[in-house]
Amino acid sequence: MKPTLYIKVCGMREAHSLAAVAALQPDFLGFIFYPKSSRYVGQELSAASLENLPSNIKKVGVFVNETSEVIRQRVQEFKLNAVQLHGDETPNQCQELRASDLLVLKAFALGGNFDFDTLLPYVSHCDYFLFDTKGEQPGGNGLVFDWQLLRNYSLPVPYFLAGGLDLTHAETLRNLQLPGLFAVDLNSRFEISPGKKDPARLNQMIQELRQADVRSSMTSFT
């Protein structure tokens, strides 16, 4: 039976590492198109490297304050299925990209005083939210936030949980009961170096997360 908690592995950049991680069958693979990121795709990963990925794996392009024109160019070049917007993108831009038949994930950095009302204008224009830890960088800071901030989440948009997730969190995540929780986002804690993942540790994490049904309110994605 398919577990209800989906898995995204983000920050892919090297072709060999990509092939090894894809063989583990995560539900989503993320590719960062933000030049200031240490995991920036740049010239290191060709579009051809993505052509033979399993069709059931959704390819997500991560962008920070990029124009819709450039985003669409990367979507076409890399045959992406979804875009993750990790900056100050507006609800209008989310709507614009979603109209291009893309899944739209809008990321937000959570801290202790986060105002969930700021999400309301985005509700009608995003397929998913992604909640990360507030830090110096737009993402990939490797820090965990207090997940209990989400215990009263009541919006209809399901979300990805990100921010420093590691093997030590596997059991807790497997039994975590939070409204709207849809997927986990794995990145920096599973790296040998930026952009190069440790397939053995990722495999262990994926197997532990999938060994039992996770009690999430969301059960499928399109």
Side-chain angles (χ1 to χ4, degrees):
M1 182 177 66
K2 177 71 180 177
T4 57
L5 188 67
Y6 289 85
I7 298 170
K8 174 173 172 276
V9 180
C10 199
M12 303 306 305
R13 186 175 62 191
E14 299 185 7
H16 180 72
S17 180
L18 173 60
V21 172
L24 304 178
Q25 288 288 309
D27 302 291
F28 300 83
L29 284 170
F31 305 89
I32 297 176
F33 295 90
Y34 177 52
K36 294 183 180 180
S37 171
S38 59
R39 302 168 185 87
Y40 175 48
V41 168
Q43 302 299 317
E44 297 197 29
L45 188 67
S46 68
S49 300
L50 279 65
E51 290 180 355
N52 295 320
L53 291 177
S55 59
N56 60 305
I57 298 178
K58 302 289 187 184
K59 295 172 287 188
V60 184
V62 181
F63 302 90
V64 179
N65 297 331
E66 190 56 87
T67 66
S68 295
E69 180 181 1
V70 169
I71 291 174
R72 289 195 187 99
Q73 290 172 356
R74 296 291 177 265
V75 166
Q76 183 175 13
E77 179 183 1
F78 287 85
K79 303 296 188 291
L80 303 175
N81 308 108
V83 294
Q84 178 178 319
L85 306 178
H86 234 290
D88 302 313
E89 298 84 7
T90 65
N92 285 341
Q93 186 175 19
C94 294
Q95 180 184 34
E96 186 177 270
L97 292 168
R98 200 179 188 199
S100 300
D101 201 27
L102 290 166
L103 292 174
V104 173
L105 291 72
K106 180 67 184 79
F108 297 92
L110 265 61
N113 59 350
F114 184 78
D115 182 2
F116 282 89
D117 285 347
T118 62
L119 305 180
L120 294 176
Y122 291 89
V123 165
S124 300
H125 308 306
C126 296
D127 296 281
Y128 307 101
F129 291 142
L130 182 145
F131 296 131
D132 203 349
T133 309
K134 190 172 184 178
E136 294 182 1
Q137 302 298 322
N141 292 287
L143 302 173
V144 180
F145 68 90
D146 182 4
W147 301 337
Q148 291 307 307
L149 292 172
L150 297 165
R151 67 187 182 279
N152 295 319
Y153 182 81
S154 60
L155 298 176
V157 180
Y159 60 84
F160 287 63
L161 184 65
L165 303 185
D166 201 349
L167 276 168
T168 58
H169 302 122
E171 183 177 359
T172 301
L173 290 169
R174 194 169 61 241
N175 296 288
L176 194 60
Q177 298 187 50
L178 287 175
L181 177 60
F182 173 77
V184 294
D185 188 288
L186 310 177
N187 192 348
S188 60
R189 296 292 184 176
F190 294 89
E191 289 186 326
I192 298 169
S193 60
K196 184 177 182 180
K197 299 298 188 280
D198 183 338
R201 294 186 71 246
L202 269 173
N203 182 55
Q204 184 179 349
M205 182 68 163
I206 290 171
Q207 293 305 315
E208 289 194 25
L209 290 175
R210 288 179 172 169
Q211 72 178 6
D213 186 33
V214 179
R215 295 173 181 84
S216 165
S217 62
M218 310 310 299
T219 57
S220 64
F221 67 88
T222 57

